[in-house]
Amino acid sequence: MNTDYISYYFSPLVSMWYLIIYVTMYIGSRFNDRTSFVLGKVFVSASLFTCFMKEKWLLEMLFSVLSRICGIHWSAREWNFRVTLDLWIVYIGMLAAIAVVKIRDCRLTEHPYWALTTKVSTALSALCIVWFFAFEFFQESKFTYNLWHPYISWIPILAFAILRNASVILRSASSSAFAFIGRCSLETFIIQYHLWLAGDTKGVLLVIPGTAWRPVNFVLSTIMFVYVSDQMARATTTITSWICSGTGKLSSLPVPVTSSGTATTPPNRRAADAPRSNGDATTSIPLRSPSSQKDERESTPEPDTPVRSRRWIDRLAEGPAPPPRAAGFCVWQGEKGGYGAKTKLFIGVGIMWAVNVFWDY
């Protein structure tokens, strides 16, 4: 459609950060239980990626390779701006996750000063939210604020996370509207360039001609925009399920099981958070040691009638047993003879590569 696909940068940007986090945590993963080692990996990853983004010639060389091999014609300057705008927020999230894990492991919530720490953190978070909005409001322009954004964007995010978990009432409260938008947030970010904006984000879509109907246009375009985004999210989920499982059906989360063997579903979140009674205790499977399993096998009585071996004519009629497949082969071929997840992804990437290379736009 003669569209500059750098407008849809958010999807590859999320994939890029996912790969960076995965590689960072994968390297030396057997030592991830050491806090100093994990912090060192996060610091090295942040330093190397920052140096890569600061050296513009490296990014231009990478985009030149992508242009020649994959037919991806993106602006290295625009990509650099989008990435550096939130350059360190992902690493701040990694540090926050490490802090949460260590607080749980060290049982800091049981410390006598934890209540005081919670109150102080809540007060500071509220002040940070107010300060951030005031700071943003008094900036001269968006371009002036963009210079500050990489360094202060983590402040309102962490402050909101602390306030969200400050008390039981705040933790248990939820918004159905925000949850609905959250389930199709990726689709809304992409489809906004077609059903909410126009002119490469420089204009507004007019469903009804005439400037006097702008409020009505805004309402109609918003309804269309949210509906199409929701349907696109459902389609994306179905396609993802088909690629990963081959069925296209969504898998549900396990539910608690009572001692009588029946599954119970809490009517609401507060009921799920409430302590369970003795009759609704979750069933568990006891673990047995190898020695106990060996004793059980030795104590099993022998049958009175000996088991006859199968005749050679029966084994010949059935034919040879199929050779065992490798553990990872089912990922390529699939467990039921169809295409596996890797094969489907390989075919999809190949089709997209061919379209990018041979499509003239």
Side-chain angles (χ1 to χ4, degrees):
M1 295 185 295
N2 196 22
T3 303
D4 187 6
Y5 283 93
I6 196 62
S7 301
Y8 313 106
Y9 71 92
F10 189 72
S11 295
L13 181 65
V14 172
S15 301
M16 182 199 71
W17 280 119
Y18 172 81
L19 293 176
I20 291 176
I21 295 175
Y22 182 86
V23 172
T24 301
M25 300 305 297
Y26 178 78
I27 297 176
S29 56
R30 57 178 178 173
F31 302 112
N32 283 348
D33 56 340
R34 304 178 184 180
T35 306
S36 58
F37 180 75
V38 177
L39 293 177
K41 288 199 303 182
V42 174
F43 177 77
V44 171
S45 176
S47 301
L48 292 177
F49 189 70
T50 301
C51 293
F52 175 80
M53 296 306 301
K54 295 298 181 183
E55 298 294 333
K56 298 182 179 180
W57 65 273
L58 291 174
L59 191 62
E60 292 177 354
M61 182 177 64
L62 175 62
F63 273 61
S64 176
V65 173
L66 292 177
S67 176
R68 294 183 179 182
I69 298 179
C70 303
I72 300 177
H73 307 287
W74 284 3
S75 171
R77 181 174 175 271
E78 182 68 18
W79 180 262
N80 180 273
F81 168 74
R82 297 298 180 181
V83 174
T84 55
L85 195 61
D86 295 294
L87 185 57
W88 296 300
I89 190 62
V90 173
Y91 296 104
I92 295 296
M94 296 175 69
L95 295 177
I98 295 173
V100 170
V101 172
K102 292 306 173 182
I103 290 174
R104 181 190 59 194
D105 293 344
C106 298
R107 297 184 177 180
L108 295 182
T109 56
E110 301 176 3
H111 196 276
Y113 290 104
W114 179 255
L116 178 61
T117 304
T118 303
K119 295 179 181 179
V120 173
S121 301
T122 303
L124 289 178
S125 299
L127 292 176
C128 288
I129 291 289
V130 174
W131 171 85
F132 178 80
F133 281 110
F135 177 82
E136 186 182 24
F137 180 77
F138 288 106
Q139 292 299 309
E140 296 180 358
S141 63
K142 181 184 72 171
F143 304 101
T144 305
Y145 169 77
N146 287 342
L147 300 176
W148 290 93
H149 184 80
Y151 307 98
I152 64 174
S153 61
W154 59 273
I155 296 178
I157 296 176
L158 291 185
F160 177 81
I162 293 174
L163 292 175
R164 182 73 169 84
N165 298 273
S167 65
V168 178
I169 297 177
L170 294 177
R171 286 194 298 269
S172 59
S174 62
S175 172
S176 301
F178 288 160
F180 172 78
I181 295 297
R183 286 191 293 267
C184 58
S185 58
L186 177 62
E187 288 73 18
T188 56
F189 193 93
I190 296 175
I191 299 177
Q192 65 174 328
Y193 299 110
H194 298 284
L195 293 178
W196 223 17
L197 302 176
D200 292 335
T201 71
K202 301 299 190 297
V204 179
L205 179 64
L206 293 180
V207 181
I208 302 177
T211 57
W213 297 93
R214 281 186 177 271
V216 179
N217 275 290
F218 176 75
V219 173
L220 292 177
S221 61
T222 300
I223 294 175
M224 296 166 50
F225 167 63
V226 174
Y227 175 77
V228 173
S229 299
D230 176 63
Q231 295 301 312
M232 184 66 69
R234 295 174 184 270
T236 304
T237 304
T238 303
I239 294 174
T240 303
S241 302
W242 175 78
I243 293 176
C244 297
S245 62
T247 60
K249 298 180 180 179
L250 302 180
S251 59
S252 58
L253 295 176
V255 297
V257 180
T258 62
S259 57
S260 60
T262 59
T264 59
T265 304
N268 50 42
R269 185 169 180 175
R270 294 194 177 186
D273 295 336
R276 295 174 180 161
S277 60
N278 296 331
D280 292 336
T282 304
T283 59
S284 60
I285 301 176
L287 299 178
R288 296 180 295 176
S289 62
S291 59
S292 63
Q293 295 178 3
K294 181 179 179 181
D295 296 339
E296 183 179 350
R297 289 195 302 268
E298 292 177 353
S299 62
T300 303
E302 295 292 335
D304 296 335
T305 305
V307 180
R308 294 183 179 181
S309 60
R310 301 174 61 196
R311 296 184 302 172
W312 65 271
I313 190 64
D314 297 332
R315 296 195 299 269
L316 182 62
E318 293 180 358
R325 294 189 299 177
F329 189 75
C330 61
V331 181
W332 288 96
Q333 183 179 354
E335 297 180 355
K336 298 182 180 180
Y339 293 118
K342 289 186 178 180
T343 303
K344 295 175 183 177
L345 288 176
F346 184 79
I347 294 174
V349 171
I351 293 176
M352 289 188 292
W353 173 82
V355 171
N356 262 340
V357 171
F358 297 105
W359 187 275
D360 187 13
Y361 63 91

